[in-house]
Amino acid sequence: MHFQFLLSFPLRGGPPSQDPILSDTVPIPTVRAPRPRERLSCQRVSIQKMATIPSKHRALVLNSTRDPLDISLVEQAAPQAGPGSVVIRVLAAAVLSYAEEVYSGRKPYPYPTPFIPGSSAIGRVAAVGPDATLLKPGQLVYFDCYIVGRDDPTSLILHGLNSGPTPGSRLLIEGEWRDSTYAEYAKVPLENCFPLDESRLLGNLKYQVEDLMYLGAMSVPFGGLNDVGVKAGEKVIVAPATGSFGRAAVVVALAMGARVVAMGRNTEALKRLQAINPDRVSIVQNTGDVEADTKALTADGPADVFFDISPREAVSSTHLQSCISALRREGRVSLMGGQLELVPMPIRTIMRYNLKVCGKWMYTKEDIRTLITLVETGYLKLGESGGIKTATKFSLEQFADAFETAAKNSGLGVPTVITP
């Protein structure tokens, strides 16, 4: 069988072919190239996204790792936004309780020098890259310092603090994301900026910008608690509960609807925690006697969840054994501690009671979005109403005082921030 197709195309804008096969064809419209003025208009839109950034800004630069701190306040070229990035005007940047130890080298975290140190921050978008679809200049955002490689989830860093465990991680912090938030402006990954409902948070709920910075402390325990599926009405043991992240874990677990047993060695610090919500927070002192501590933890019945946030010094603590032994059958354990050595675990109890033991480092971006929603809806309260004291603020020039104050206030629910 033989088929013959006759195709004819109009030349120079002439009439369409009258061939039967193409008789219903609509004439192809003429495509006009943009005039030079139109192309300039598009360029102006791109430039306007970066128009609010000055040519220079002030920043703290860590020149080398040594004790005393080798940090200088300098004026240097301001960062510029590109594809996949946002430049924020930093309003408040978190200061960790161990910041001075890290930057002096007493706590040996890896990072490049020189660089601008920092942490998570509250900022206002100053400029966005050409691929931004949601963020706009002027928006209030929370910047999360936990950066994960876009093409490799094992490459991860803590921006301004730790260069991570892999060669890919070091590429992130030594290259595009070297400089952090102890500066007037910071270039950060687009996906690490989370929009905040400014009218709700600063208007209706009457929070200060500094109050919002407690999101950084709460995000870590929320990642672990959410990972093991804490539900309203469950009994959650938090231990040790008197450090910065332990206290934040108590606040977060309450917001998730749980009853909390706070365990630690410092009874005065435990009483301050109980004062946050006396009806739903009970306290147990860690005496080192596993049998006695387990009995105290289960005075009103076994627990559903144990959340561990131990510091690295807690390798000889007995709380892992007593807290795990206090769980019901099918209970869950979230391990987020920083012990650097092997620790004893009650393996037989874990096996016989079908306990689920989960390790968790940090959190997911969806965790951050959920945490922000809890704050914006009022279920998770910040500031004095949430048992969190007003943040202590320091300028860039006062960085040494900021580091010292953060160390002193560890576990007291008093955030410390640098406000460039």
Side-chain angles (χ1 to χ4, degrees):
M1 184 177 295
H2 177 71
F3 295 91
Q4 182 177 14
F5 294 94
L6 298 175
L7 302 179
S8 101
F9 296 91
L11 299 175
R12 299 184 181 179
S17 169
Q18 297 304 310
D19 185 276
I21 299 177
L22 302 176
S23 59
D24 295 330
T25 303
V26 177
I28 300 174
T30 301
V31 179
R32 177 179 56 82
R35 296 189 180 94
R37 180 173 296 180
E38 291 173 322
R39 289 196 292 269
L40 288 174
S41 175
C42 294
Q43 291 171 0
R44 281 198 295 269
V45 171
S46 177
I47 292 171
Q48 285 170 2
K49 292 183 178 182
M50 307 178 70
T52 58
I53 301 178
S55 60
K56 293 186 177 181
H57 74 140
R58 299 188 311 147
L60 294 176
V61 173
L62 179 68
N63 301 297
S64 64
T65 303
R66 74 180 190 195
D67 193 6
L69 293 170
D70 184 14
I71 294 179
S72 305
L73 178 58
V74 304
E75 185 179 74
Q76 62 181 33
Q80 300 295 319
S85 69
V86 177
V87 173
I88 60 172
R89 174 64 172 96
V90 181
L91 304 179
V95 179
L96 298 175
S97 60
Y98 49 89
E100 185 174 10
E101 293 181 81
V102 171
Y103 300 132
S104 66
R106 297 199 302 273
K107 186 183 283 286
Y109 278 19
Y111 48 76
T113 56
F115 84 135
I116 298 175
S119 188
S120 297
I122 301 296
R124 198 170 292 284
V125 175
V128 296
D131 55 342
T133 59
L134 176 64
L135 296 180
K136 309 293 181 186
Q139 275 185 295
L140 190 71
V141 295
Y142 169 69
F143 162 65
D144 170 39
C145 72
Y146 176 41
I147 298 175
V148 179
R150 292 165 178 158
D151 57 349
D152 177 15
T154 66
S155 295
L156 37 87
I157 65 172
L158 297 179
H159 198 227
L161 187 74
N162 191 321
S163 62
T166 68
S169 303
R170 289 189 287 276
L171 285 175
L172 291 175
I173 202 168
E174 291 174 3
E176 194 71 10
W177 312 121
R178 186 184 189 95
D179 292 330
S180 192
T181 56
Y182 293 164
E184 292 177 328
Y185 290 87
K187 184 179 76 169
V188 296
L190 180 65
E191 66 271 22
N192 282 63
C193 283
F194 298 87
L196 299 174
D197 187 340
E198 183 172 356
S199 62
R200 172 68 174 163
L201 294 169
L202 305 187
N204 298 344
L205 296 175
K206 302 185 185 306
Y207 291 139
Q208 301 297 313
V209 166
E210 297 78 22
D211 295 327
L212 305 180
M213 203 57 261
Y214 203 60
L215 285 166
M218 295 188 296
S219 59
V220 174
F222 183 75
L225 292 168
N226 199 40
D227 184 55
V228 294
V230 170
K231 301 179 182 65
E234 289 192 316
K235 177 179 175 180
V236 176
I237 299 171
V238 176
T242 55
S244 298
F245 290 115
R247 182 184 180 90
V250 172
V251 174
V252 169
L254 289 171
M256 297 173 78
R259 296 179 296 132
V260 178
V261 180
M263 188 184 199
R265 298 185 184 278
N266 188 326
T267 54
E268 291 304 313
L270 289 172
K271 289 177 182 178
R272 288 194 294 269
L273 276 174
Q274 190 173 32
I276 295 174
N277 192 325
D279 294 332
R280 290 170 53 202
V281 177
S282 57
I283 59 177
V284 172
Q285 185 179 25
N286 181 6
T287 66
D289 185 327
V290 174
E291 184 176 349
D293 290 347
T294 302
K295 185 176 181 180
L297 289 166
T298 56
D300 61 348
D304 301 283
V305 173
F306 162 45
F307 176 78
D308 171 67
I309 191 71
S310 300
R312 62 179 181 174
E313 297 83 6
V315 292
S316 61
S317 176
T318 59
H319 76 280
L320 283 172
Q321 298 181 62
S322 56
C323 291
I324 290 175
S325 299
L327 293 174
R328 64 167 173 83
R329 186 175 179 82
E330 307 288 347
R332 294 100 72 199
V333 180
S334 177
L335 298 178
M336 296 194 80
Q339 300 97 324
L340 299 180
E341 301 175 32
L342 296 177
V343 294
M345 298 275 283
I347 300 300
R348 187 171 179 82
T349 299
I350 293 170
M351 180 270 294
R352 294 188 66 180
Y353 282 84
N354 291 357
L355 302 182
K356 181 180 180 180
V357 180
C358 300
K360 184 70 174 179
W361 199 67
M362 304 304 280
Y363 39 79
T364 66
K365 287 181 170 50
E366 190 58 36
D367 288 335
I368 296 294
R369 294 186 187 96
T370 303
L371 186 66
I372 290 172
T373 299
L374 285 173
V375 173
E376 291 178 342
T377 55
Y379 287 101
L380 179 49
K381 298 185 182 301
L382 303 178
E384 298 287 348
S385 61
I388 306 163
K389 296 183 180 179
T390 302
T392 307
K393 299 186 294 183
F394 295 91
S395 65
L396 290 172
E397 290 87 349
Q398 298 171 310
F399 68 87
D401 294 333
F403 295 162
E404 181 180 354
T405 300
K408 288 180 180 178
N409 288 343
S410 176
L412 297 180
V414 185
T416 303
V417 299
I418 286 178
T419 55

